[in-house]
Amino acid sequence: MGIGRNNDILFWLLIFLSDWTAAQISYSVSEEVDKGTVVGNLAKDLNVNARDLQTRNLNIVSGYSKKYFGTDFKTGDLYVNERIDREELCPNTVKCTLNVEAILSNPMILHRIEVVIVDLNDNAPTFVEKSHTLNISEFSPTGEHYLLPLALDVDTGFNSVKTYRLSPNEYFSLDVQSGGEHSVSAELVLLKALDREKQAVIKLTLTAIDGGKPPKSGTVQICVNVLDVNDNTPTFGKTLYKARMNENAPAGSLVIQLNATDLDEGDNGRVIYSFVKRANFDPADVFFINAESGEITLRGSLDYEMQSAFEIHVHAKDQGGSPRSANGKLLVEVTDVNDNAPEIMVTSLMNPVKEDAEKGSVVALVTVTDKDGGKNGQIHCKLTGSAPFKLDSNYKNYYSLVVDGPLDREACSFYNITIIATDEGTPPLSNISIISVHVSDVNDNAPHFLEPHINIYVRENSPIGAHIHTVTAVDPDINESARVTFSLDGDSETIPITSVISINSETGDIVSLQSFNYEQMKTFQFKVQATDSGVPPLSTNVTVNVFILDDNDNSPSILAPYSEHGSVNTESIPYSAEAGYFVAKIRAVDADSGYNALLSYHLSEPKGNNLFRIGTSTGEIRTKRRMSDNDLKTHPLVVLVSDNGEPSLSATVSIDVTVVESSADIQTQFRHVPIKEDSFSDLNLYLLIAIVSVSVIFLLSLISLIAVKCHRTDGSFSRYSAPMITTHPDGSWSYSKSTQQYDVCFSSDTLKSDVVVFPAPFPPVDAELISINGGDTFTRTQTLPNKDKPKAPNSDWRYSASLRAGGVMQSSVHMEESSVMQGAQGVLVQNWPTASSAADGEGGEVSPPMGAGVDSNSWHFRYGPGGPGAPPQHLKPGEVPPEAFIIPGSPAIISIRQNQGGEDDKSDFITFGKKEEAKKKKKKKKEKKDKKDKGKDDGDE
């Protein structure tokens, strides 16, 4: 039987329809009815006026190769158009139906029509065999059953085989067994013991009768051969064996183990098993039986959809001289498994689909089937992916593919729609079908340029008509909607653009209509419009910027004062000019730009000694070396100024450099030419700041040094003499009357002083108080009277100090915040020291680090808070204690003890005090000068 699909009728019928519904109508008709037999009235069942059937274009669509039904548009009747043979359409099925669709247009209505084909008893039962032979022993017991041939009837239901009849005889009767939904079988039953000698062959007629009205029948001849052997027949344990097998069971699987017994011994009791072929079914094609053991296994594959059950008859025969046999019956039921995937069939209605198709437009019809039964045959269908389509269910497994969203051909010109159908079996099986839907174009896209704006670079002096650029625009549409033409859109703000450039409307080539000059016009702008050829046409604009590129068409120009064409300029330099002497600076400019305006300076000198050089970038002419007697007095120089263009352009200037004897002879003509200052770099700034800082520091240091060392109140230096004091390694001091001369410099702001005491045998008449500023300079402050002779110092007061190598004592005690002991008016202002010292406790002796001398007296200084030898608390005006000396600036009175060994017990005091006291006694210096000189001579002796 061939089954197909009529796609052309469905395509042309539904291509422009978008609104329809679905319904179900059932009819029944007998097979083999005449053509024109009315099945039902569609106008009535569809609730449509019969006159509207033709205007609404009623059409009957089916998936069969023959058109079994037709429609009468006048009456609305559905009639039989072709002979219907139920056995041809639905073999081996109980219910036979034909499914067709009735389609009405305007609006579209789809009705599902199911026509049940009623079976007629038009086929008689038949036997495959013409005759059947049975070998029955004469010793066979009565009641023994013998299997008879099976009759076949292609009709189903009540029209199939229902019973069997046996021709009348005295030996046998018929035992008819009904298999329910399966076939009916018959067995021959022995009623009377056979006697081979009386009748060796018995001929019988077996008739098969179906259940039709009237019934039909078929016959087969049964020939019974009476055998005279074995008297025991093998017997099976069950009259009916049942087994269940999955349809996907592998080959070799065990079906059942049969067992037939025979009471005989030896060969008469050894049973051999075999299959019995009945009609057109041979069990050996599907199953295998072990002849010795009776074990039945699966030989081939099972398919529930092809055959759901097998009725197998097994023959058990002994091996006696007159073998006896028995027949066993086995019913093998096949269990359905989900081994069939759903099948998808697609009928296209609208392909390609316009990209402006409305939502809900029908694209195709989809039918899904599954050969499995039960849940294994129930199907769910869906789409995968994000395509703008969906499946609408019409009826059971019938669907429509419709548009479910906006389409855009430019975004996607075709869709591969994947349909997945899945059954409800365990495990579920599925199938995939891909539908290719093409989208047709409409003009919904304007052309667009590849860049938001276009920059064109054109060299100046380019020829007229030169191609300068090609404008390109693309349109995502196709065909005419994508054909683009170009045009100029309006004029520029500065120039009439159509007089400058033109554009080819087809190719977009832009050509120049004039030659460009960079020095006159550096850039201009215009717009280009691109228009497609669609209906309606769409367009877009783009801005084009044209930049004129500079060409090296201008030579350098020499600036004043050397700019006079053809003139020779003169410069003079002295004969004593050193190397690097500045002669002149050439300045030039170029009207071009970029590298074309980058100038370099070169010097062309006559042959001979090279005396001058020029800065390549600065244009400064300087000497390379000193002049010599061999050099000429006049040097003609030619300066070449070149730009960096291709090719390079240049200009020259001539300068005569004259060598004169001295700088005074140089007649310089000042030319007020603006010179472009070089940029002041950060490095120059840092160098300038460093130079200024160092200069300021140097000047401040110099001024401070002069102020400290050279500034005096009287503006002059004084020369004084003092005795020599030396130290011994044992820590004692030595005193010599030899004097040394010191230059003393004072400042007016001296605040603190130190006191040094020189002990002597006799106090000099003109002993003075000398103030020392800084420890190295002396000044006379006060003359001690001769009547004040030193008293013996108290032993509790001792002071040891160290002397510098220059013979000046420096105290190891630092006195702070002192007051001055003044000898005027008899008032003594006394403060006791608050000092820090290297000595501990009440006082300590510090041995001098160095010294030793001749005619020296050793002495000790001791300091302390007071005691019996402390300085007196009251003195007369102008008196100074002979055994003490005063440190103005330090609130301490220090007593002195002289060791024996000098010429006199008197001591010389040199007191370092403030300059105010020195000023008071300035008037007395002249009077005492002679006395001091005389004392100096005595000290030398």
Side-chain angles (χ1 to χ4, degrees):
M1 178 188 69
I3 298 177
R5 287 289 182 268
N6 191 346
N7 296 331
D8 294 335
I9 296 176
L10 288 174
F11 177 78
W12 293 108
L13 178 64
L14 300 178
I15 189 169
F16 297 109
L17 302 179
S18 60
D19 186 17
W20 50 275
T21 58
Q24 173 75 24
I25 301 174
S26 296
Y27 297 108
S28 65
V29 65
S30 298
E31 67 173 337
E32 305 293 343
V33 297
D34 296 332
K35 294 182 179 181
T37 301
V38 177
V39 179
N41 190 279
L42 289 177
K44 178 181 178 181
D45 295 330
L46 295 178
N47 197 19
V48 178
N49 195 325
R51 291 174 296 180
D52 297 332
L53 294 178
Q54 188 170 6
T55 59
R56 295 188 63 180
N57 194 18
L58 174 64
N59 194 9
I60 303 301
V61 180
S62 67
Y64 302 96
S65 60
K66 295 181 180 180
K67 187 176 181 180
Y68 290 100
F69 302 99
T71 306
D72 189 351
F73 290 99
K74 294 181 180 181
T75 60
D77 292 332
L78 180 68
Y79 61 89
V80 177
N81 190 47
E82 291 285 342
R83 173 182 173 273
I84 302 174
D85 187 354
R86 180 195 171 285
E87 285 72 27
E88 180 183 356
L89 288 175
C90 309
N92 300 323
T93 58
V94 178
K95 183 179 179 181
C96 182
T97 59
L98 288 177
N99 296 318
V100 297
E101 287 85 24
I103 302 176
L104 290 173
S105 303
N106 301 321
M108 182 178 181
I109 301 177
L110 175 63
H111 285 273
R112 177 79 176 175
I113 300 175
E114 183 185 69
V115 181
V116 180
I117 308 302
V118 180
D119 183 40
L120 296 179
N121 191 21
D122 55 346
N123 294 283
T126 59
F127 292 89
V128 177
E129 302 169 298
K130 299 296 183 180
S131 63
H132 185 70
T133 301
L134 292 175
N135 295 318
I136 302 176
S137 176
E138 62 177 346
F139 296 119
S140 296
T142 58
E144 189 172 0
H145 290 65
Y146 302 93
L147 190 64
L148 295 177
L150 183 66
L152 299 178
D153 195 339
V154 294
D155 294 328
T156 60
F158 290 98
N159 295 326
S160 61
V161 176
K162 294 299 180 184
T163 186
Y164 291 90
R165 291 180 182 175
L166 189 63
S167 59
N169 64 90
E170 61 176 322
Y171 295 101
F172 299 97
S173 64
L174 197 62
D175 181 13
V176 179
Q177 299 175 354
S178 176
E181 61 181 12
H182 305 291
S183 61
V184 178
S185 61
E187 292 182 352
L188 193 66
V189 181
L190 183 61
L191 297 177
K192 181 180 177 181
L194 299 177
D195 187 359
R196 182 179 177 277
E197 287 74 20
K198 184 178 179 180
Q199 189 176 356
V201 176
I202 302 173
K203 295 185 181 289
L204 303 173
T205 300
L206 179 63
T207 302
I209 303 171
D210 61 19
K213 295 181 181 181
K216 294 185 178 184
S217 61
T219 61
V220 65
Q221 295 295 321
I222 305 298
C223 181
V224 178
N225 296 321
V226 181
L227 302 178
D228 187 19
V229 281
N230 231 332
D231 57 347
N232 288 295
T233 303
T235 58
F236 287 95
K238 294 181 181 179
T239 58
L240 177 64
Y241 290 91
K242 289 185 178 181
R244 188 181 296 272
M245 293 290 292
N246 290 332
E247 63 174 328
N248 61 349
S253 299
L254 177 65
V255 179
I256 198 171
Q257 174 77 48
L258 299 180
N259 185 24
T261 59
D262 193 322
L263 298 178
D264 296 327
E265 294 182 355
D267 289 340
N268 292 331
R270 189 165 61 90
V271 179
I272 300 300
Y273 301 92
S274 62
F275 286 128
V276 178
K277 182 179 179 182
R278 304 188 69 200
N280 59 351
F281 172 64
D282 186 0
D285 294 338
V286 183
F287 302 96
F288 172 79
I289 187 169
N290 190 316
E292 298 292 335
S293 64
E295 183 180 83
I296 298 176
T297 57
L298 185 62
R299 180 191 294 273
S301 60
L302 302 179
D303 190 351
Y304 175 83
E305 289 71 35
M306 295 294 295
Q307 190 169 352
S308 61
F310 295 91
E311 185 178 328
I312 303 173
H313 292 271
V314 180
H315 186 69
K317 183 176 68 173
D318 60 24
Q319 299 298 307
S322 296
R324 304 185 69 172
S325 62
N327 293 311
K329 185 177 181 180
L330 171 63
L331 181 61
V332 179
E333 296 180 352
V334 180
T335 303
D336 181 38
V337 295
N338 192 24
D339 59 344
N340 290 281
E343 296 179 359
I344 303 172
M345 292 171 288
V346 179
T347 302
S348 297
L349 298 180
M350 193 190 320
N351 199 0
V353 181
K354 287 189 175 182
E355 61 178 326
D356 59 350
E358 295 181 358
K359 186 177 181 180
S361 301
V362 180
V363 178
L365 297 178
V366 180
T367 303
V368 185
T369 59
D370 194 319
K371 294 180 180 179
D372 293 323
K375 287 189 175 182
N376 295 331
Q378 296 180 8
I379 308 169
H380 298 285
C381 194
K382 65 178 181 179
L383 299 180
T384 61
S386 57
F389 299 93
K390 69 175 181 177
L391 279 177
D392 285 342
S393 178
N394 300 332
Y395 175 76
K396 289 185 178 179
N397 295 330
Y398 294 87
Y399 302 89
S400 295
L401 180 65
V402 297
V403 178
D404 191 42
L407 302 176
D408 187 359
R409 190 205 66 82
E410 289 71 36
C412 186
S413 61
F414 72 97
Y415 294 91
N416 285 328
I417 303 173
T418 302
I419 302 176
I420 297 181
T422 307
D423 59 27
E424 295 184 1
T426 303
L429 297 179
S430 61
N431 199 357
I432 297 176
S433 178
I434 299 177
I435 305 173
S436 294
V437 178
H438 294 268
V439 181
S440 60
D441 182 53
V442 295
N443 190 27
D444 57 347
N445 290 278
H448 71 274
F449 293 90
L450 301 180
E451 300 173 349
H453 55 81
I454 300 174
N455 296 328
I456 302 175
Y457 299 91
V458 183
R459 301 195 69 85
E460 67 172 329
N461 304 321
S462 60
I464 298 175
H467 173 264
I468 61 175
H469 193 73
T470 299
V471 178
T472 303
V474 295
D475 195 317
D477 297 323
I478 58 175
N479 301 328
E480 289 298 316
S481 299
R483 189 167 64 86
V484 181
T485 58
F486 302 93
S487 62
L488 296 177
D489 186 16
D491 290 336
S492 174
E493 296 180 358
T494 57
I495 57 173
I497 197 62
T498 54
S499 65
V500 178
I501 54 122
S502 67
I503 188 170
N504 188 312
S505 62
E506 297 295 332
T507 62
D509 293 337
I510 300 176
V511 296
S512 61
L513 299 181
Q514 71 177 30
S515 181
F516 301 103
N517 190 348
Y518 174 83
E519 286 72 32
Q520 295 178 359
M521 179 173 60
K522 293 180 175 56
T523 182
F524 62 91
Q525 187 181 83
F526 62 92
K527 291 185 178 180
V528 175
Q529 184 180 69
T531 307
D532 62 23
S533 302
V535 179
L538 302 175
S539 63
T540 187
N541 295 335
V542 67
T543 300
V544 180
N545 299 312
V546 180
F547 298 94
I548 311 302
L549 298 179
D550 181 43
D551 202 359
N552 193 25
D553 56 349
N554 292 280
S555 298
S557 298
I558 308 298
L559 297 180
Y562 306 105
S563 60
E564 296 181 7
H565 182 69
S567 62
V568 177
N569 301 274
T570 303
E571 296 289 345
S572 299
I573 63 173
Y575 178 79
S576 61
E578 297 290 338
Y581 183 84
F582 178 79
V583 179
K585 181 171 184 178
I586 308 300
R587 294 183 297 119
V589 294
D590 196 315
D592 295 322
S593 64
Y595 281 97
N596 295 329
L598 183 61
L599 303 181
S600 60
Y601 301 85
H602 306 278
L603 193 61
S604 298
E605 297 187 55
K607 295 182 179 179
N609 295 328
N610 295 329
L611 183 59
F612 301 96
R613 59 180 175 84
I614 188 169
T616 305
S617 59
T618 62
E620 294 182 354
I621 301 175
R622 296 180 181 271
T623 58
K624 284 186 178 179
R625 55 180 175 79
R626 291 179 58 90
M627 299 291 177
S628 66
D629 295 337
N630 296 328
D631 292 329
L632 301 175
K633 298 302 181 180
T634 301
H635 299 269
L637 302 180
V638 178
V639 179
L640 177 68
V641 184
S642 303
D643 60 24
N644 203 36
E646 289 291 341
S648 176
L649 300 179
S650 62
T652 59
V653 61
S654 298
I655 300 177
D656 287 343
V657 181
T658 302
V659 180
V660 298
E661 292 302 326
S662 63
S663 300
D665 297 333
I666 299 176
Q667 300 297 327
T668 304
Q669 180 180 359
F670 292 97
R671 301 176 179 91
H672 300 281
V673 181
I675 299 176
K676 182 178 179 181
E677 297 293 337
D678 294 337
S679 60
F680 196 73
S681 64
D682 292 341
L683 181 59
N684 295 336
L685 178 61
Y686 297 152
L687 292 175
L688 180 59
I689 292 174
I691 293 172
V692 172
S693 301
V694 171
S695 301
V696 171
I697 293 172
F698 174 76
L699 290 176
L700 293 177
S701 301
L702 184 60
I703 292 171
S704 300
L705 181 61
I706 294 173
V708 171
K709 296 294 183 179
C710 298
H711 181 68
R712 302 180 180 86
T713 55
D714 55 357
S716 62
F717 289 92
S718 298
R719 182 173 298 273
Y720 299 95
S721 61
M724 174 67 69
I725 299 175
T726 58
T727 60
H728 297 280
D730 59 358
S732 62
W733 291 3
S734 298
Y735 168 77
S736 175
K737 290 186 178 182
S738 299
T739 59
Q740 293 183 354
Q741 300 294 326
Y742 293 93
D743 289 333
V744 183
C745 181
F746 302 96
S747 62
S748 60
D749 55 350
T750 303
L751 297 179
K752 297 182 180 181
S753 302
D754 293 333
V755 174
V756 178
V757 178
F758 298 92
F762 303 97
V765 176
D766 55 350
E768 297 179 355
L769 294 178
I770 301 175
S771 175
I772 298 176
N773 182 21
D776 291 333
T777 58
F778 300 83
T779 195
R780 300 171 187 260
T781 57
Q782 185 178 353
T783 302
L784 299 178
N786 293 331
K787 63 181 180 178
D788 296 328
K789 294 183 180 180
K791 298 179 180 180
N794 192 294
S795 60
D796 295 333
W797 282 86
R798 295 188 181 185
Y799 174 78
S800 298
S802 62
L803 294 177
R804 295 181 182 270
V808 179
M809 182 190 74
Q810 185 177 15
S811 173
S812 63
V813 181
H814 180 66
M815 304 299 180
E816 297 179 349
E817 303 296 324
S818 64
S819 62
V820 180
M821 175 71 74
Q822 296 180 353
Q825 304 300 327
V827 178
L828 174 63
V829 181
Q830 177 179 324
N831 290 323
W832 293 101
T834 56
S836 60
S837 172
D840 298 331
E842 294 290 331
E845 294 185 1
V846 179
S847 299
M850 57 185 296
V854 292
D855 297 331
S856 62
N857 296 322
S858 66
W859 54 1
H860 297 276
F861 291 93
R862 183 178 181 86
Y863 67 95
Q873 300 297 318
H874 301 283
L875 295 176
K876 294 181 180 181
E879 289 184 350
V880 176
E883 69 277 11
F885 64 90
I886 301 171
I887 305 177
S890 297
I893 296 177
I894 302 175
S895 63
I896 303 170
R897 186 187 64 190
Q898 179 182 354
N899 292 335
Q900 296 300 323
E903 295 181 0
D904 199 345
D905 294 334
K906 297 181 180 179
S907 299
D908 293 338
F909 289 84
I910 301 177
T911 303
F912 303 93
K914 290 187 177 180
K915 282 190 174 182
E916 284 77 7
E917 294 184 18
K919 290 180 181 180
K920 292 179 182 180
K921 297 176 177 57
K922 187 177 181 180
K923 296 179 182 180
K924 299 178 181 180
K925 287 183 179 180
K926 284 186 177 182
E927 298 175 355
K928 297 178 181 180
K929 188 175 182 181
D930 295 334
K931 295 180 179 181
K932 184 180 70 173
D933 293 335
K934 184 179 179 181
K936 180 179 179 183
D937 296 334
D938 296 337
D940 293 335
E941 292 175 0

